[in-house]
Each structure stands twice: as structure tokens, then as C-alpha cells.
């Protein structure tokens, strides 16, 4: 059967998104100019390419007046991350320290998906413009490319905007703060920008200069983890920096809609939230479980017993991926806890990756209810989330998501073992990428790095990053034949 997709209308929207992408690329160009670096030309070329394609698509679709529908919205949401990536790699491939196509695409997708896994060994050799672009790509991708576009394109303030929001937003339910989706997007970005400003000022008040403060704030609030230093935050050797970033990661791991309500005086939205309380409990439990590994090294300082373990837990569960010294020597228990935290993730509606605490709460309640039904078959039990009972269809969707997530994780890890890596290293690197985390261990840690992986593994991990960021179903739906038919 013929497809009824409104290709022209889709192209019109993509064209306008590319024009905005061109404007975004001019920001790091200005940074390069300010620092007197030649890489400004790379960003001008990238911005020019995006602008030409954007205006060409817009001009070619002037007569396409039909509105895009939810189906087209899903396709745009799934593809725009790749399209933005294809233009975002131009600065990486043409700068003074160029990358190959595979490495450049891995790096930009790692940025947009806020994974933070990097193929670049010496980031200090990069220009300020490229460093800023890495950080900015994570900040834009933190709340989501589409959510950013919903805030700046009024024409998406329709039913299709809601479908695109649902396709990109993380979590089980996608409630709106306001009747109009654009107003919801603006409110969420208001919270996001406010946290960004606060973090920049706090880090700037410490040992960081303004440039490093902005870059690390972008990657912290977006829970991305790119750094401007080879040693990461350890370069500053400052507990102040660790604790500011720690607090910001904790906040960024919470649902931004809950943060918006709390910001406006509804403190019970956070205090009585089961998901948030579970999130805090997981952090505390994981921290306690890391202490035996710390004790086995005979450490006695505050950094080793409090700052580093708690920072590592926060970095893992929020998928930020900032590293701390000594984690490779904390033992197998610490590695297991880290993998669990990467798979778990923080709260839905945040900038983090992973399965999300919300889904774990639902699965736990469902397991408890099924156990009770076995003992008391005539009783009725429901799964509650955010104070409301969930439909069985939503519970089934959560179970399906968790199953597919773990299946893709396991299958990807097995494929990586065929290349020659151990199951331990394979499982860690896949969990890190599909969870949009970026932490390295073994082959991707101090012993090597993502840049040393074969191209086939890099492409697999890139696909895992995209699947993890858009929570799988947004891409899986594209493989259903009936989706493309009338």
C-alpha cells in the first residue's frame, strides 16, 4: 500500500530546525574568534552548510501547507538527532586537531545524547571553540533537541508538538505544566537556564575561570560529563568544585516538572514524591556499599571516604560520567554497583539516562502485587505512581521497555565480545553508552579509552546511545511495516 506521509511538511519543519541549528553553531564560532583561534572558520562552514540546507528545504516546501501529524512527528524526532549530528561533526573533522568521520560522529552523538564517552585522548590540545562546542552540544541535548525547538517554533504548538514531546521526553507519563505544549517547554527551559546560571556563578566563585565554569556547568546540568581537562575535575584538586558539581548532579537527576512546581512553592511535590525518595535511598545505599572497597585500600582522608565515593555514585546514577581518582581499585563490588547505577538512572523527566527510577518503582510494585495475588487471588491490587493508579497498559509498557532495554544491552555486549573484548569490559561499555553515562572501565578506562575501540564497536555504541536517549520505542516504531503504510 502507498504511504500517506506528508514528506513536504516534514521537510519544511526539518528545514526550519536546520536554520536554528546554523544559528547555534555560530555561538562556538564567536568563542573561537574571541580567543583568536583559526577554528572559527570550521564553525562558519558548518553553520553555512546547515543554513543552506535549511533555507533550501524551506524554499522548496513553501507550498506545502499541510500540518504534520503524530506519525510524521515521530519520524522527525527520531531523525533530527542524526541530522543535527551530521552537521555537528563538521567542526570536529575540519578543526586544527581533526577527527575521522567515525570518531567525529561518535563524539557529537555522545554530546547530543549527553553520554560523555569521548574518543579524544588529549582534550587540552583542542581549541576553546571546539571545547565549547562539545559542552554546548550536551547542554542542548540535555532537555532535548525537540524540546528546545518546541520552545522557539510556535507552529509546533499543536497536537504534533505533543507527539514529538512524548517521543523525546523520558519516562512513563508525560504530563504538561500548561495547556499549551510550547508554554510547558518554556517553563522547563526556564528551570534549566536558572540552574545553569546558578552553577556557573558558584563554580566561577571557586578555582575555575569563567570559560571552564560555563563548560563544566553545561555538562553538569545536562548530566553529560565532557570536561575541558584531561584529568577532569581532578585537575583543580578542590573539594569545593566536587561538592558544587555533586549538588548540581543531584538536582539535575530530579524530574524537572517537579523542580518547577517546587520552585513555585509546592514543596510537597518533591517531599512526598515516591520516586524522588527512592532516588535518594538508592544513592545512600550505593554509597554505603562502596565503603568496603575504599576501606580495603587503607585510605583515611575525607576525600577518599566521603567526597569521592559519593561523587562517583552521583556521577553514575545521573549518567553524568565524571570520573574520580582510584575507582578502578575499589574492587568488584564497586564495579557491580556502578553497572547497576548506570542501568538504573535517575528520575524520569530529568536530563539523565538509564531505565529510570520511576520504572523500577513500577516494576517493584507490580512484582509485589503479583506475589500478593498468588496468596490472595480474590483481592485487587493496583500500581501507583505520583499518587495515581496506573492502567494495566502502562504497566505492561514499562515491563516491555525494561525487557527490551536489557535485551539490547545483553545482545550488544555479546556482539562486542565477538570482537575480542572480555564480557566484563563489553558489559560495562555497553551499559555506559545505552545508559548515556560515559564512564569508562578496563578497556574504556585507564587501560585504554573509547578512542581505541574498533570502528564497528564505535558504531554499535553510537546506535546504543541514540536508542538509550530516545528510550528505544521512538526508533523501534520505525521498523514496523504498518507504520509506513496508509
Amino acid at each position: 500500500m502507498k504511504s500517506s506521509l506528508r514528506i513536504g511538511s516534514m521537510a519544511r519543519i526539518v528545514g526550519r530546525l536546520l536554520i536554528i541549528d546554523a544559528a547555534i553553531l555560530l555561538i562556538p564560532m564567536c568563542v573561537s574568534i574571541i580567543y583568536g583561534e583559526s577554528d572559527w572558520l570550521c564553525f562558519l562552514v558548518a553553520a553555512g552548510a546547515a543554513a543552506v540546507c535549511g533555507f533550501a528545504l524551506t524554499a522548496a516546501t513553501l507550498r506545502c501547507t499541510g500540518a504534520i501529524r503524530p506519525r510524521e512527528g515521530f519520524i522527525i524526532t527520531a531523525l533530527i538527532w542524526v541530522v543535527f549530528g551530521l552537521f555537528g561533526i563538521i567542526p570536529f573533522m575540519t578543526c586544527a586537531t581533526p577527527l575521522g568521520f567515525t570518531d567525529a560522529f561518535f563524539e557529537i552523538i555522545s554530546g547530543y545524547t549527553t553520554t560523555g564517552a569521548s574518543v579524544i585522548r588529549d582534550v587540552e590540545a583542542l581549541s576553546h571553540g571546539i571545547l565549547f562546542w562539545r559542552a554546548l552540544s550536551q547542554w542542548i541535548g540535555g532537555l532535548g533537541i525537540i524540546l528546545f525547538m518546541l520552545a522557539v517554533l510556535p507552529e509546533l504548538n499543536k497536537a504534533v508538538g505533543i507527539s514529538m514531546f512524548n517521543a523525546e521526553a523520558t519516562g512513563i507519563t508525560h504530563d504538561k505544566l500548561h495547556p499549551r505544549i510550547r508554554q510547558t517547554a518554556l517553563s522547563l527551559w526556564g528551570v534549566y537556564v536558572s540552574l545553569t546560571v546558578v552553577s556557573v556563578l558558584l563554580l566561577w566563585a571557586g578555582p575555575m575561570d569563567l570559560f571552564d565554569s560555563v563548560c563544566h556547568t553545561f555538562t553538569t546540568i545536562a548530566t553529560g560529563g565532557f570536561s575541558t581537562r584531561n584529568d577532569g575535575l581532578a585537575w583543580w584538586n578542590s573539594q569545593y568544585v566536587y561538592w558544587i558539581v555533586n549538588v548540581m548532579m543531584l538536582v539535575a537527576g530530579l524530574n524537572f516538572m517537579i523542580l518547577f512546581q517546587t520552585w513555585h512553592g509546592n514543596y510537597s511535590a518533591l517531599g512526598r514524591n515516591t520516586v524522588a525518595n527512592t532516588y535518594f535511598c538508592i544513592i545512600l545505599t550505593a554509597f554505603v556499599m562502596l565503603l568496603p572497597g575504599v576501606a580495603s585500600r587503607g585510605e583515611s582522608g575525607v576525600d577518599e571516604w566521603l567526597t569521592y565515593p559519593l561523587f562517583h555514585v552521583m556521577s553514575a546514577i545521573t549518567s553524568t560520567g565524571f570520573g574520580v581518582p582510584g575507582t578502578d581499585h575499589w574492587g568488584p563490588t564497586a564495579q557491580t554497583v556502578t553497572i547497576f547505577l548506570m542501568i538504573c538512572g535517575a528520575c524520569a523527566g530529568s536530563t539523565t539516562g538509564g531505565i529510570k527510577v520511576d520504572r523500577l518503582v513500577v516494576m517493584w510494585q507490580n512484582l509485589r502485587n503479583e506475589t500478593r495475588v498468588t496468596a490472595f487471588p480474590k483481592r485487587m491490587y493496583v500500581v501507583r505512581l505520583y499518587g495515581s493508579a496506573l492502567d494495566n497498559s502502562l504497566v505492561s509498557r514499562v515491563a516491555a521497555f525494561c525487557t527490551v532495554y536489557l535485551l539490547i544491552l545483553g545482545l550488544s555486549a555479546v556482539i562486542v565480545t565477538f570482537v575480542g573484548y572480555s564480557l566484563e569490559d563489553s558489559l560495562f561499555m555497553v551499559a555506559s553508552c545505552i545508559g548515556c553515562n560515559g564512564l569508562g572501565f578496563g578497556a574504556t578506562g585507564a587501560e585504554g579509552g573509547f578512542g581505541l575501540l574498533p570502528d564497528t564497536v564505535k558504531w554499535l555504541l553510537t546506535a546504543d546511545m541514540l536508542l538509550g536517549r530516545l528510550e528505544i520505542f521512538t526508533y523501534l516504531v520505525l521498523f514496523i511495516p504498518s507504520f509506513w503504510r496508509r
Side-chain angles (χ1 to χ4, degrees), residues 34-181:
I34 291 172
Y35 283 92
E37 298 165 339
S38 61
D39 282 347
W40 69 268
L41 186 58
C42 305
F43 293 104
L44 181 61
V45 170
V52 167
C53 292
F55 281 114
L57 286 175
T58 302
T61 55
L62 287 176
R63 297 183 180 180
C64 298
T65 57
I68 57 176
R69 298 161 300 182
R71 185 166 56 148
E72 286 91 3
F74 264 90
I75 296 173
I76 293 174
T77 302
L79 296 183
I80 199 63
W81 290 75
V82 178
V83 173
F84 268 43
L86 291 174
F87 289 98
I89 65 174
I90 296 176
F92 288 119
M93 296 182 67
T94 57
C95 66
T97 52
L99 299 176
F101 178 76
T102 297
D103 284 349
F105 196 73
F106 183 97
E107 193 78 10
I108 193 62
I109 294 301
S110 180
Y112 276 133
T113 59
T114 71
T115 302
S118 180
V119 297
I120 302 172
R121 297 286 292 180
D122 185 10
V123 297
E124 293 179 23
L126 302 176
S127 67
H128 288 81
I130 294 295
L131 289 173
F132 189 84
W133 175 230
R134 293 169 80 238
L136 181 62
S137 67
Q138 292 200 322
W139 192 74
I140 294 294
L143 279 187
I145 294 174
I146 293 299
L147 190 63
F148 178 76
M149 302 310 170
L150 288 174
V152 298
L153 286 181
E155 69 178 275
L156 295 182
N157 192 32
K158 301 173 184 176
V160 66
I162 298 175
S163 68
M164 294 171 73
F165 173 74
N166 291 340
E168 185 182 69
T170 61
I172 304 169
T173 60
H174 302 129
D175 299 327
K176 296 187 298 178
L177 293 172
H178 307 282
R180 300 174 71 84
I181 189 64

Side-chain angles (χ1 to χ4, degrees), residues 169-174 348-349 355-360 362 385-386 390 394-395 397-398 471:
T170 61
I172 304 169
T173 60
H174 302 129
I355 288 178
K356 303 293 187 303
V357 174
D358 309 56
R359 292 190 177 94
L360 296 184
V362 170
L385 192 67
Y386 316 126
L390 295 184
L394 277 177
V395 177
R397 181 180 174 86
V398 170
E471 300 206 321

Side-chain angles (χ1 to χ4, degrees), residues 259-443:
L259 289 177
F260 178 86
Q261 295 170 0
T262 305
W263 188 280
H264 285 78
N266 184 12
Y267 302 110
S268 62
L270 178 62
R272 299 179 181 178
N273 188 280
T274 303
V275 173
N277 291 332
T278 304
Y279 168 57
F280 297 140
C281 288
I282 292 175
I283 291 171
L284 180 60
T285 302
F287 168 73
V288 172
M289 293 180 68
L290 290 184
L291 294 182
V294 175
S296 67
R297 297 189 63 196
E299 304 289 357
S300 59
V302 175
D303 283 355
E304 289 76 11
W305 275 92
L306 178 61
T307 306
Y308 291 162
L310 184 59
F311 187 92
H312 180 74
V313 169
M314 290 305 311
S315 182
I317 194 172
T318 62
S319 75
T320 307
F322 282 132
V324 292
T327 55
D328 286 346
H329 305 290
W330 288 352
T333 300
Q335 183 183 358
T336 302
V337 170
T338 302
I339 292 176
F340 169 77
L341 293 174
M342 291 193 297
I343 294 174
C344 169
C347 304
S350 66
T351 59
T352 63
I355 288 178
K356 303 293 187 303
V357 174
D358 309 56
R359 292 190 177 94
L360 296 184
V361 169
V362 170
M363 294 302 295
W364 168 254
Q365 289 189 32
N366 189 49
L367 174 63
R368 182 191 60 190
N369 291 347
E370 291 299 322
T371 304
R372 289 174 174 175
V373 167
T374 302
F376 309 103
K378 293 184 179 181
R379 295 185 181 180
M380 298 289 293
Y381 300 96
V382 296
V383 173
R384 293 186 176 277
L385 192 67
Y386 316 126
S388 302
L390 295 184
D391 293 335
N392 289 333
S393 61
L394 277 177
V395 177
S396 298
R397 181 180 174 86
V398 170
F401 175 87
C402 294
T403 301
V404 175
Y405 187 98
L406 296 176
L407 181 63
I408 293 176
L409 190 157
L411 182 60
S412 297
V414 170
I415 293 174
V416 174
T417 62
F418 291 159
V419 182
Y421 292 94
S422 68
L423 180 60
E424 182 181 47
D425 284 346
S426 301
L427 183 61
F428 198 97
M429 70 175 74
V430 171
S432 180
C433 287
I434 196 172
C436 298
N437 194 290
L439 281 174
F441 180 88

